[in-house]
Short mmCIF file of all heavy atoms in Angstrom, two decimals:
data_model
loop_
_atom_site.label_atom_id
_atom_site.label_comp_id
_atom_site.label_asym_id
_atom_site.label_seq_id
_atom_site.Cartn_x
_atom_site.Cartn_y
_atom_site.Cartn_z
N ASP A 122 -13.94 7.66 -0.31
CA ASP A 122 -13.80 8.66 -1.35
C ASP A 122 -13.18 9.96 -0.84
O ASP A 122 -13.07 10.93 -1.58
CB ASP A 122 -15.16 8.95 -2.01
CG ASP A 122 -15.65 7.77 -2.82
OD1 ASP A 122 -14.83 6.91 -3.19
OD2 ASP A 122 -16.87 7.72 -3.08
N ASN A 123 -12.79 10.00 0.42
CA ASN A 123 -12.13 11.19 0.97
C ASN A 123 -10.81 11.44 0.24
O ASN A 123 -10.28 10.55 -0.42
CB ASN A 123 -11.85 11.02 2.46
CG ASN A 123 -13.11 10.99 3.28
OD1 ASN A 123 -14.18 11.32 2.80
ND2 ASN A 123 -12.99 10.57 4.53
N TYR A 124 -10.29 12.63 0.40
CA TYR A 124 -8.99 12.96 -0.17
C TYR A 124 -8.04 13.22 0.99
O TYR A 124 -8.23 14.16 1.77
CB TYR A 124 -9.08 14.20 -1.06
CG TYR A 124 -7.78 14.47 -1.79
CD1 TYR A 124 -7.53 13.89 -3.02
CD2 TYR A 124 -6.81 15.28 -1.22
CE1 TYR A 124 -6.34 14.11 -3.69
CE2 TYR A 124 -5.61 15.52 -1.88
CZ TYR A 124 -5.39 14.93 -3.11
OH TYR A 124 -4.20 15.15 -3.76
N ALA A 125 -7.06 12.34 1.15
CA ALA A 125 -6.10 12.46 2.25
C ALA A 125 -4.94 11.52 1.96
O ALA A 125 -4.98 10.76 0.99
CB ALA A 125 -6.76 12.09 3.57
N GLY A 126 -3.93 11.54 2.78
CA GLY A 126 -2.83 10.60 2.64
C GLY A 126 -1.71 10.90 3.61
O GLY A 126 -1.41 12.06 3.90
N THR A 127 -1.10 9.84 4.11
CA THR A 127 0.03 9.96 5.03
C THR A 127 0.95 8.77 4.81
O THR A 127 0.49 7.65 4.61
CB THR A 127 -0.45 9.98 6.50
OG1 THR A 127 -1.44 11.00 6.66
CG2 THR A 127 0.70 10.23 7.46
N CYS A 128 2.24 9.02 4.88
CA CYS A 128 3.24 7.95 4.77
C CYS A 128 4.06 7.92 6.05
O CYS A 128 4.54 8.96 6.52
CB CYS A 128 4.16 8.20 3.57
SG CYS A 128 5.36 6.88 3.30
N TYR A 129 4.22 6.73 6.60
CA TYR A 129 4.99 6.53 7.83
C TYR A 129 6.27 5.79 7.48
O TYR A 129 6.24 4.76 6.80
CB TYR A 129 4.16 5.72 8.85
CG TYR A 129 2.89 6.44 9.24
CD1 TYR A 129 1.72 6.27 8.50
CD2 TYR A 129 2.87 7.29 10.34
CE1 TYR A 129 0.56 6.94 8.85
CE2 TYR A 129 1.70 7.96 10.70
CZ TYR A 129 0.55 7.78 9.94
OH TYR A 129 -0.60 8.45 10.30
N LEU A 130 7.39 6.32 7.93
CA LEU A 130 8.71 5.76 7.64
C LEU A 130 9.31 5.16 8.90
O LEU A 130 9.23 5.77 9.97
CB LEU A 130 9.64 6.83 7.08
CG LEU A 130 9.12 7.62 5.88
CD1 LEU A 130 10.06 8.77 5.55
CD2 LEU A 130 8.96 6.71 4.68
N TYR A 131 9.94 4.03 8.74
CA TYR A 131 10.55 3.33 9.88
C TYR A 131 12.03 3.09 9.60
O TYR A 131 12.41 2.78 8.47
CB TYR A 131 9.87 1.98 10.13
CG TYR A 131 8.48 2.11 10.65
CD1 TYR A 131 7.40 2.23 9.79
CD2 TYR A 131 8.24 2.12 12.01
CE1 TYR A 131 6.11 2.36 10.27
CE2 TYR A 131 6.95 2.25 12.51
CZ TYR A 131 5.90 2.37 11.63
OH TYR A 131 4.62 2.50 12.11
N TYR A 132 12.83 3.22 10.64
CA TYR A 132 14.24 2.84 10.53
C TYR A 132 14.32 1.33 10.47
O TYR A 132 13.50 0.64 11.07
CB TYR A 132 15.05 3.35 11.73
CG TYR A 132 15.32 4.81 11.69
CD1 TYR A 132 14.62 5.70 12.49
CD2 TYR A 132 16.30 5.32 10.84
CE1 TYR A 132 14.87 7.05 12.45
CE2 TYR A 132 16.55 6.68 10.79
CZ TYR A 132 15.84 7.54 11.60
OH TYR A 132 16.10 8.88 11.55
N PRO A 133 15.31 0.80 9.79
CA PRO A 133 15.45 -0.66 9.73
C PRO A 133 15.79 -1.25 11.09
O PRO A 133 16.27 -0.54 11.98
CB PRO A 133 16.59 -0.88 8.73
CG PRO A 133 17.26 0.42 8.57
CD PRO A 133 16.32 1.50 9.03
N GLU A 134 15.54 -2.54 11.22
CA GLU A 134 15.81 -3.24 12.48
C GLU A 134 17.25 -3.05 12.95
O GLU A 134 17.51 -2.83 14.11
CB GLU A 134 15.52 -4.74 12.33
CG GLU A 134 14.05 -5.06 12.23
CD GLU A 134 13.30 -4.84 13.53
OE1 GLU A 134 13.83 -5.19 14.59
OE2 GLU A 134 12.19 -4.29 13.48
#
Side-chain angles (χ1 to χ4, degrees):
D122 291 340
N123 292 347
Y124 187 88
T127 306
C128 183
Y129 299 87
L130 306 173
Y131 291 87
Y132 285 104
E134 288 291 318

